[in-house]
């Protein structure tokens, strides 16, 4: 017991170290820097033009802006908190601001949902900009959760803490096993583990094994035992995917969270949307409108007026307050009624601390993508849990950590990893893989999953053509392609390898036929471990006329970093590994779990492009190259280029 508390105290201290480092890095970019410097560091767009405004669910104001005359790389992305400001001549940069949340960013356009009830007057005055904000709320919630877990001496939280961290044995009921025609054998075993667990169940889902399908089936079946569950994940995208699948399965689901952070496909499942569709919502709007009208009428009375006017103003203000109280009570009733009718409450891990969930205790909490979450974040929903079900894969992407010192000291180890190691009886690994042929799956299966995975029979038909090989490694050793640093970002790129990669894809599309790709609706992923290489790809595709086939196919081509492809699949995946140097430095590539993600996205064909002489100095890549040689997957760049 003392050991566990010491461990948790250490994790709390590491969280504070990470918090401090994250803030320091942000402040270096933001404080005491000019607008021009902030633009270059990627935390400001200025100037921007206001394109349009509209009102969405919950009477929230949405604005679309466009940055003008700039092409710096930036850190703006969906779900981030921002501050819209005016830099006009008579403006106050400190006060002429309104905060909001990014719905999405596409090219030079950004859509933002604003906080507050009204659009500021200065919004149409020109000279607008938008700053990226540092979000301390998540750290505060993680710290609070860790303190609560440490403080627990008895009760369900204390016992569940001890089970998850291995101090108490996990227990299981002897209920009869459930059979499901929709699930394979290992998925069925996972479902039954979830149903029989009294405290903890773990679904280990390697790539393509149907983790989401199994999790949805487990939630659906659990709801036959309990009236309501909480479903969480570290990212908004992961939560949204579960909400979509649960809704399709006929499960009543309410998605908590800022509408700007939620996928448009599930907006009707959000709390805001369900409140606006409630039978009492018209009465709520009417009461709010009357309250605002009374307050407005009261303001019409100026300072110089008599006793009767003062009395009338008081009456109007009293009535406005009464109506506001009535509206608040009505909104509370509507919200309570929405929750009463929902079977699943879905939110991010940090969102589980939402004030609306205060006092809630859920019979079961499901955590998806649990291997991507910092341990302190995973504890937040556990404060409301009687039983925990975690799903994920600790052989894929770990959580992002800013402090190298904190990561090395143990913050990089997730609660999922601790639980699956300490409570092996609670875990079931899914073993039948539906995404890729055995040849593509083979290396990751050997290296990460001890050969436990099997490719489903239908994956034998996953190919781009009868004579099209499903996997190739193209070796750039000796080609003169060299990695280098991008000046602004200090990210790594390899311009020659980027051009070759695009030429290879262009010729592949030509050989197989763009029309064939479009008819079959085969999609393509072009990925690299470095943002600078991704930017180089986009520059070459969209700012030159060298690759007409790729440009004609952009609706089905996604160019992104490896991290951007977690949880996704593409028919054709091409990976540019970038690193090529005499010192054998591979930097970011040393994170082999990231490479496991890259190597397991392809459904019909995988092409890996890299320098064997640089890569082979690392044990993981040496093993990969051995696999390539053993399966005759090797090609030299010289087979494609006429180099001397």
């Amino acid at each position: 017991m003392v050991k566990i508390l010491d461990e948790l105290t250490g994790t709390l201290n590491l969280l504070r170290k990470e918090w401090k480092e994250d803030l320091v890095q942000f402040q270096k970019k933001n404080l005491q820097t000019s607008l021009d410097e902030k633009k270059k560091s990627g935390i400001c767009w200025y100037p921007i033009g206001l394109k349009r405004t509209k009102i969405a669910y919950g009477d929230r104001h949405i604005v679309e802006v466009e940055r003008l005359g700039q092409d710096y790389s930036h850190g703006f992305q969906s779900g981030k908190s921002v501050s819209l400001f005016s830099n006009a001549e008579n403006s106050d940069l400190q006060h002429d601001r309104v905060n909001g949340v990014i719905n999405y960013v596409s090219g030079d356009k950004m859509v933002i949902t604003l906080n507050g009830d009204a659009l500021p007057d200065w919004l149409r005055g020109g000279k607008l900009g938008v700053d990226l904000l540092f979000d301390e709320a998540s750290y505060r919630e993680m710290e609070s959760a860790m303190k609560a877990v440490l403080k627990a001496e008895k009760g369900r939280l204390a016992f569940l803490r001890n089970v998850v961290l291995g101090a108490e044995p996990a227990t299981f009921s002897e209920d009869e096993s459930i059979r499901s025609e929709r699930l394979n054998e290992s998925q069925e075993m996972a479902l039954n583990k979830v149903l029989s667990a009294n405290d903890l169940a773990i679904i280990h889902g390697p790539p393509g094994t149907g983790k989401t399908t199994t999790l949805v089936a487990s939630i659906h079946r659990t709801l036959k035992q309990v009236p309501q569950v909480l479903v969480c994940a570290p990212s908004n995208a992961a939560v949204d995917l579960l909400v979509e699948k649960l809704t399709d399965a006929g499960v009543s689901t309410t998605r908590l969270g800022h509408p700007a952070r939620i996928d448009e496909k599930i907006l009707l499942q959000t709390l805001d949307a369900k409140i606006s569709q409630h039978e009492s919502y018209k009465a709520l709007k009417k009461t709010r409108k009357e309250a605002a009208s009374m307050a407005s009428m009261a303001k019409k009375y100026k300072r110089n007026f008599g006793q009767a006017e003062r009395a009338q103003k008081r009456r109007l203000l009293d009535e406005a307050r009464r109506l506001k109280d009535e509206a608040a009570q009505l909104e509370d009733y509507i919200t309570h009624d929405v929750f009463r009718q929902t079977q699943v409450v879905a939110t991010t891990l940090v969102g589980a601390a939402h004030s609306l969930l205060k006092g809630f205790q859920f019979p079961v909490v499901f955590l998806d993508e649990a291997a991507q979450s910092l341990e302190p974040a995973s504890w937040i929903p556990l404060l409301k849990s009687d039983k925990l079900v975690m799903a994920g894969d600790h052989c894929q992407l770990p959580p992002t950590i800013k402090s190298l010192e904190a990561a090395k000291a143990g913050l990089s180890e997730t609660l999922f990893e601790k639980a699956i190691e300490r409570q092996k009886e609670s875990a079931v690994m899914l073993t039948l893989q539906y995404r890729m042929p055995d040849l593509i799956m083979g290396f990751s299966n050997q290296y990460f999953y001890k050969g436990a995975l099997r490719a489903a029979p239908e994956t034998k038909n996953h190919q781009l053509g009868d004579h099209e090989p499903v996997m190739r490694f193209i070796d750039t050793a000796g080609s003169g392609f060299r990695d280098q640093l991008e000046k602004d970002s200090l990210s790594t790129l390899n311009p020659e390898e980027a051009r070759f990669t695009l030429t290879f894809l262009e010729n592949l599309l030509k050989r197989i036929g763009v029309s064939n790709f479009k008819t079959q609706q085969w999609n393509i992923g072009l990925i690299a471990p470095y943002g600078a290489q991704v930017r180089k790809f986009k520059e070459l595709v969209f700012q030159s006329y060298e690759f007409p086939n790729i440009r004609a196919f952009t609706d089905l081509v996604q160019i992104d970093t490896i991290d951007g492809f977690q949880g996704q699949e593409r028919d054709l995946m091409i990976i540019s590994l970038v690193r090529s140097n005499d010192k054998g430095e591979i930097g970011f590539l040393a994170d082999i779990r990231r490479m496991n993600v890259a190597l397991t996205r392809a459904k019909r064909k995988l092409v890996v492009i890299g320098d064997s002489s640089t890569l082979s100095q690392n044990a993981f890549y040496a093993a990969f190259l051995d696999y390539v040689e053993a399966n005759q997957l090797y090609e030299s760049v010289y087979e494609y280029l006429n180099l001397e």
Side-chain angles (χ1 to χ4, degrees):
M1 179 66 178
V2 174
K3 183 180 177 182
I4 282 181
L5 295 182
D6 287 345
E7 179 182 353
L8 288 165
T9 300
T11 302
L12 176 57
N13 291 332
L14 292 177
L15 173 69
R16 289 167 175 161
K17 191 182 294 289
E18 168 70 1
W19 186 349
K20 181 179 179 181
E21 178 61 26
D22 198 2
L23 180 59
V24 166
Q25 288 186 22
F26 185 85
Q27 288 174 335
K28 283 181 180 178
K29 290 183 177 180
N30 194 35
L31 297 182
Q32 306 301 320
T33 57
S34 66
L35 280 176
D36 197 48
E37 289 172 320
K38 289 200 292 184
K39 286 193 296 182
K40 289 180 179 178
S41 63
I43 59 172
C44 178
W45 278 14
Y46 181 86
I48 58 174
L50 180 65
K51 300 287 289 182
R52 58 182 62 89
T53 67
K54 69 175 184 178
I55 297 177
Y57 287 118
D59 297 329
R60 295 177 184 266
H61 289 274
I62 292 179
V63 300
E64 180 181 335
V65 300
E66 181 178 24
R67 64 174 176 170
L68 309 171
Q70 52 192 302
D71 60 357
Y72 299 115
S73 59
H74 59 82
F76 292 90
Q77 56 184 280
S78 174
K80 293 281 190 177
S81 297
V82 294
S83 180
L84 198 64
F85 65 86
S86 170
N87 196 33
E89 188 173 343
N90 297 320
S91 297
D92 183 340
L93 270 175
Q94 289 296 109
H95 298 100
D96 285 353
R97 285 180 173 270
V98 59
N99 292 349
V101 176
I102 300 173
N103 292 52
Y104 67 87
V105 180
S106 178
D108 289 328
K109 291 184 174 60
M110 185 189 305
V111 175
I112 305 166
T113 298
L114 301 180
N115 301 335
D117 299 327
L119 292 173
D121 295 335
W122 48 261
L123 197 60
R124 299 189 183 278
K127 292 192 174 182
L128 299 176
V130 59
D131 281 335
L132 197 60
L133 295 180
F134 182 75
D135 182 14
E136 286 196 292
S138 297
Y139 285 108
R140 286 195 294 269
E141 295 298 351
M142 286 190 280
E143 182 183 56
S144 177
M146 290 296 298
K147 288 179 177 178
V149 172
L150 271 164
K151 189 177 179 181
E153 295 182 358
K154 56 185 178 179
R156 191 59 186 166
L157 175 60
F159 183 76
L160 196 57
R161 171 196 66 197
N162 295 343
V163 169
V164 173
L165 292 178
E168 297 278 356
T171 62
F172 303 89
S173 65
E174 298 294 330
D175 295 344
E176 185 178 346
S177 295
I178 302 294
R179 301 299 302 272
S180 173
E181 294 181 359
R182 297 183 177 182
L183 302 179
N184 64 45
E185 184 179 355
S186 63
Q187 291 172 335
E188 206 172 74
M189 288 175 60
L191 168 65
N192 282 291
K193 182 69 73 174
V194 169
L195 297 178
S196 65
N198 296 320
D199 318 296
L200 172 68
I202 302 169
I203 302 173
H204 179 195
T209 55
K211 172 179 64 66
T212 301
T213 298
T214 309
L215 191 59
V216 169
S218 299
I219 294 167
H220 196 276
R221 192 63 184 76
T222 297
L223 288 168
K224 295 183 183 299
Q225 300 175 339
V226 301
Q228 190 177 66
V229 300
L230 178 64
V231 172
C232 300
S235 71
N236 284 289
V239 179
D240 291 345
L241 176 62
L242 278 173
V243 172
E244 184 180 353
K245 299 296 184 183
L246 287 166
T247 303
D248 290 344
V251 177
S252 172
T253 306
T254 297
R255 170 71 157 98
L256 283 187
H258 197 293
R261 296 188 171 104
I262 296 171
D263 193 296
E264 287 186 3
K265 289 186 288 188
I266 62 156
L267 279 177
L268 290 178
Q269 311 310 320
T270 61
L271 180 61
D272 279 10
K274 292 195 172 188
I275 287 174
S276 68
Q277 294 165 356
H278 194 275
E279 59 185 6
S280 298
Y281 184 66
K282 287 184 179 178
L284 174 61
K285 285 193 75 173
K286 182 181 177 182
T287 306
R288 283 174 173 169
K289 187 174 181 180
E290 289 175 355
S293 176
M294 292 293 178
S296 179
M297 289 171 62
K299 290 178 183 178
K300 291 180 180 178
Y301 290 95
K302 306 297 180 183
R303 293 182 179 180
N304 299 320
F305 53 85
Q307 185 174 352
E309 287 81 5
R310 282 195 293 272
Q312 177 65 4
K313 181 174 182 176
R314 278 196 301 273
R315 282 193 293 272
L316 289 169
L317 288 174
D318 287 344
E319 181 63 9
R321 278 191 289 270
R322 185 190 70 77
L323 288 167
K324 284 182 179 179
D325 289 342
E326 184 180 322
Q329 291 173 11
L330 185 54
E331 185 173 14
D332 286 344
Y333 159 72
I334 294 172
T335 303
H336 174 77
D337 199 41
V338 169
F339 279 128
R340 183 183 61 81
Q341 296 179 51
T342 196
Q343 295 174 285
V344 171
V345 178
T347 182
T348 59
L349 300 175
V350 174
H354 200 294
S355 59
L356 290 172
L357 295 181
K358 187 176 182 180
F360 274 67
Q361 189 70 16
F362 294 91
V364 187
V365 169
F366 291 84
L367 301 190
D368 194 17
E369 302 295 0
Q372 287 186 56
S373 168
L374 287 175
E375 179 184 335
S378 295
W379 286 113
I380 296 173
L382 263 67
L383 302 182
K384 306 177 187 301
S385 172
D386 291 332
K387 168 180 165 179
L388 172 64
V389 178
M390 288 194 284
D393 181 13
H394 51 302
C395 299
Q396 294 188 64
L397 282 177
T400 300
I401 299 176
K402 299 290 179 66
S403 169
L404 186 61
E405 184 181 349
K408 288 182 175 179
L411 191 61
S412 60
E413 186 179 14
T414 64
L415 193 62
F416 182 93
E417 290 177 88
K418 291 180 179 181
I420 201 170
E421 176 61 31
R422 302 176 192 184
Q423 296 286 8
K424 290 183 171 63
E425 289 298 312
S426 293
V428 173
M429 177 175 162
L430 307 181
T431 56
L432 189 59
Q433 179 276 123
Y434 296 92
R435 177 179 299 158
M436 57 206 128
D438 190 67
L439 197 60
I440 296 177
M441 176 189 76
F443 176 69
S444 286
N445 186 24
Q446 292 174 12
Y447 199 94
F448 293 100
Y449 305 110
K450 300 178 181 178
L453 299 183
R454 294 180 295 114
E458 56 263 39
T459 62
K460 292 180 180 178
N461 299 319
H462 289 184
Q463 50 189 315
L464 296 180
D466 291 340
H467 304 292
E468 189 66 36
V470 298
M471 184 174 174
R472 280 290 180 265
F473 172 76
I474 301 176
D475 189 3
T476 65
S479 66
F481 300 172
R482 289 299 193 196
D483 62 42
Q484 60 189 60
L485 288 180
E486 186 179 58
K487 290 182 180 179
D488 290 339
S489 68
L490 298 182
S491 180
T492 305
L493 75 159
N494 189 323
E496 291 84 2
E497 183 175 291
R499 187 177 296 278
F500 169 76
T501 302
L502 291 172
T503 301
F504 174 86
L505 175 56
E506 180 79 3
N507 292 332
L508 179 64
L509 286 169
K510 189 184 301 181
R511 186 177 73 248
I512 296 177
V514 174
S515 60
N516 195 26
F517 266 84
K518 289 190 174 182
T519 300
Q520 299 290 342
Q521 287 293 292
W522 289 333
N523 49 26
I524 299 171
L526 177 57
I527 61 176
Y530 296 94
Q533 188 78 341
V534 170
R535 287 189 286 276
K536 190 64 181 178
F537 282 144
K538 292 179 178 179
E539 174 194 319
L540 289 170
V541 170
F542 298 111
Q543 296 181 22
S544 76
Y545 296 94
E546 298 178 60
F547 308 104
N549 287 325
I550 300 175
R551 286 174 67 93
F553 200 57
T554 50
D555 57 329
L556 292 176
V557 177
Q558 182 176 344
I559 304 173
D560 208 339
T561 60
I562 294 171
D563 293 36
F565 267 84
Q566 171 87 349
Q568 299 188 52
E569 66 180 28
R570 291 293 184 273
D571 293 290
L572 167 63
M573 287 296 302
I574 301 180
I575 309 170
S576 167
L577 294 181
V578 180
R579 300 312 296 258
S580 177
N581 54 75
D582 295 332
K583 296 180 180 179
E585 294 178 349
I586 63 169
F588 209 36
L589 294 185
D591 186 345
I592 61 174
R593 290 192 290 181
R594 179 169 277 101
M595 280 309 301
N596 186 32
V597 172
L599 294 171
T600 54
R601 301 304 97 194
K603 186 175 180 180
R604 300 177 186 276
K605 185 178 180 70
L606 171 65
V607 179
V608 183
I609 300 171
D611 181 346
S612 64
S613 64
T614 300
L615 298 169
S616 61
Q617 298 182 51
N618 175 277
F620 171 81
Y621 292 97
F624 173 70
L625 291 168
D626 287 342
Y627 178 82
V628 164
E629 290 281 2
N631 290 279
Q632 299 180 339
L633 307 176
Y634 180 91
E635 290 180 343
S636 170
V637 72
Y638 285 90
E639 297 176 40
Y640 295 90
L641 299 178
N642 184 22
L643 297 177
E644 294 184 2

